[in-house]
Amino acid sequence: MTAQAQTALIILRRKQVEARTGLARSTIYQHVRAGTFPAPISLGAKSVGWLSTEVDAWIEARIGDSRKA
């Protein structure tokens, strides 16, 4: 079994993403449009979510970028 198959997929809703990243809703969507933040996945007609693994990778990349400077 692969490592990814062993990891449970968790979908974060927008408020959870805001809490996890410290970003406001408008900033998250600005980054999504710019291609610098993971795109949300559709959960229904009017709901979206983000994969926690993608959000975590984005956070880790920001940490790595800030440590290089």
Side-chain angles (χ1 to χ4, degrees):
M1 195 179 281
T2 66
Q4 185 166 359
Q6 293 175 353
T7 304
L9 293 177
I10 298 170
I11 297 174
L12 303 173
R13 298 302 301 269
R14 183 182 48 83
K15 294 242 180 214
Q16 293 171 302
V17 174
E18 289 176 16
R20 210 167 209 174
T21 62
L23 300 174
R25 179 185 59 127
S26 59
T27 305
I28 291 169
Y29 283 109
Q30 284 174 354
H31 283 293
V32 168
R33 281 192 301 277
T36 58
F37 192 81
I41 57 172
S42 177
L43 300 176
K46 293 186 178 185
S47 62
V48 297
W50 284 260
L51 291 175
S52 64
T53 54
E54 293 179 352
V55 173
D56 290 343
W58 182 87
I59 292 169
E60 289 174 15
R62 299 297 70 73
I63 293 169
D65 290 346
S66 71
R67 299 292 190 242
K68 290 178 188 175

